[in-house]
Amino acid sequence: MADIDIDLRNNVNGIYIGTVRQGDRMRTIRIIKE
Amino acid sequence: MYTVPSVAGVNTYSWSFSNGAVINGPPNESFAILTFSSAFPTVGTVGVKAISAGCTSTVKSISVSELPIAATAINGPATLSPGIQARYSVSNPDNATVKWTIRNSLGAIVFSGTGNPISFQVPFYLGNLTFSVCATITNTCGATPTICRTVQYSLVAARTANPGQQNPMLAAFPNPAKDQVRLHAEELEPFATTEIRLMDLMGKIIYENSFNPRM
């Protein structure tokens, strides 16, 4: 298990993509900043 | 045909050239008509020296190039997923310049540049796309025919090493987020190199971290 806090204050509003990868195992998630 | 200015008093010109070239026509004139066979190297030389009354000049030579050997196949992954560094190469025995253009199926150029191999970061797209990976080998003589390869785009990386294995779980909260977002990953393989990234829709990395989770 891992928790990562990411500061978004310097990023514009919109859609971002988060990914976690271990070799060829990968998961993506869509994140909205508003 | 190669020529040199005639020199008064010189009646013999001795031509030399790399293997694979043969002289057609009179051999000792101030001009030489050469035929180049496939044995001629991609870069060779043609030289000439003047001979008169037992004296021989220094050799005057030029470098001669031909088109490089064309590539027949593009090597690299058949499927691309967002965020990875994709690497492509072609066979280039002449070490000539390889120009690349990679477009997505919407017509946008994803990568343009020279090198062999080249690598580029795959942007994020929603939906199903393909990429056209094209390479042209060039030198000072010109360019070989461009070859292209179509590769698929997949949001989820292909799982070839352990097809029965589950992908990690990934959650984000709050989502939508304002000033901060927390990425929560589970079902990670202990001690395996783990990469967590946040990208914008152009593929620009906002955050990147690599670590090895414990049990």
Side-chain angles (χ1 to χ4, degrees):
Chain A
M1 186 179 79
D3 285 307
I4 307 282
D5 291 322
I6 302 173
D7 188 344
L8 296 176
R9 285 176 294 181
N10 293 326
N11 298 105
V12 299
N13 293 348
I15 298 174
Y16 294 83
I17 303 300
T19 64
V20 57
R21 174 190 290 273
Q22 285 190 312
D24 55 4
R25 302 172 66 231
M26 180 176 168
R27 182 75 71 178
T28 64
I29 189 171
R30 188 169 70 164
I31 299 161
I32 298 172
K33 190 210 170 183
E34 61 179 22
Chain B
M1 183 168 73
Y2 296 85
T3 64
V4 290
S6 296
V7 178
V10 173
N11 53 15
T12 300
Y13 296 86
S14 176
W15 291 86
S16 57
F17 27 81
S18 303
N19 287 339
V22 293
I23 192 166
N24 293 317
N28 298 318
E29 300 293 333
S30 61
F31 65 89
I33 301 171
L34 299 180
T35 300
F36 296 91
S37 72
S38 59
F40 189 79
T42 303
V43 178
T45 58
V46 173
V48 62
K49 57 187 177 183
I51 301 173
S52 176
C55 298
T56 303
S57 72
T58 58
V59 176
K60 187 76 172 178
S61 63
I62 61 170
S63 179
V64 179
S65 301
E66 65 174 2
L67 279 176
I69 297 172
T72 56
I74 295 175
N75 307 309
T79 302
L80 301 178
S81 54
I84 70 165
Q85 285 290 328
R87 179 184 168 104
Y88 288 95
S89 65
V90 293
S91 173
N92 181 24
D94 298 323
N95 288 321
T97 301
V98 184
K99 295 182 177 180
W100 296 85
T101 303
I102 301 175
R103 296 175 184 271
N104 63 26
S105 50
L106 302 176
I109 293 177
V110 177
F111 175 87
S112 178
T114 61
N116 192 41
I118 53 98
S119 66
F120 71 101
Q121 186 169 46
V122 180
F124 177 85
Y125 300 102
L126 292 171
N128 296 320
L129 293 177
T130 58
F131 290 94
S132 177
V133 181
C134 297
T136 309
I137 301 180
T138 69
N139 65 10
T140 54
C141 287
T144 63
T146 299
I147 62 168
C148 293
R149 176 182 172 193
T150 300
V151 299
Q152 300 296 316
Y153 170 79
S154 172
L155 271 175
V156 179
R159 289 184 292 151
T160 55
N162 299 293
Q165 211 166 26
Q166 293 295 313
N167 284 325
M169 297 299 296
L170 183 63
F173 52 87
N175 192 10
K178 289 188 181 296
D179 295 339
Q180 179 174 290
V181 66
R182 170 167 289 189
L183 294 181
H184 175 79
E186 288 190 5
E187 299 182 16
L188 301 174
E189 285 284 324
F191 310 116
T193 299
T194 305
E195 298 172 351
I196 289 188
R197 284 180 179 165
L198 185 69
M199 298 181 293
D200 65 17
L201 289 182
M202 299 302 293
K204 177 185 172 187
I205 296 176
I206 307 300
Y207 173 88
E208 186 173 34
N209 190 17
S210 179
F211 59 96
N212 296 80
R214 295 167 180 254
M215 291 288 287

